[in-house]
Amino acid sequence: TESAGFLGRAKIAVRMDSLLWIEDLIGLIKSATNEAPSNGDSVERLCKRISEELTATQAINWYTVTVENRAGGYSTFASAQGPPRVAQ
């Protein structure tokens, strides 16, 4: 049987102010996705968690996240763009 979370993917694009190693970026994304329950999570929650990780990273000044999931004959997606930082 298909289950939410097992047939999905996340597309992420970033712009940075300073150096951030690709391994560190992958680690940020993995830390957000590892918080998902074993039975899957909604694309909206997963997109929000990835966005929160990217927003909290000072090296990143812009990002876009799209999370897609295909399960049970249906396709769902969520997207976010940011970060919504306050201008100083």
Side-chain angles (χ1 to χ4, degrees):
T1 63
E2 294 178 342
S3 176
F6 291 108
L7 298 175
R9 66 179 172 182
K11 293 182 188 179
I12 300 162
V14 298
R15 290 186 191 142
M16 297 178 281
D17 285 330
S18 58
L19 177 67
L20 179 66
W21 294 102
I22 188 71
E23 294 88 353
D24 295 334
L25 179 60
I26 292 169
L28 290 171
I29 296 162
K30 279 187 175 182
S31 72
T33 59
N34 286 340
E35 296 173 8
S38 61
N39 64 348
D41 206 350
S42 72
V43 292
E44 292 88 358
R45 287 187 195 138
L46 191 53
C47 187
K48 181 179 178 184
R49 281 201 304 273
I50 293 170
S51 295
E52 288 170 348
E53 286 287 335
L54 297 174
T55 299
T57 305
Q58 290 299 315
I60 297 171
N61 66 22
W62 176 88
Y63 64 81
T64 182
V65 176
T66 302
V67 177
E68 298 176 81
N69 188 42
R70 294 185 183 148
Y74 295 96
S75 178
T76 58
F77 79 95
S79 63
Q81 185 174 332
R85 291 196 178 125
V86 177
Q88 295 181 9

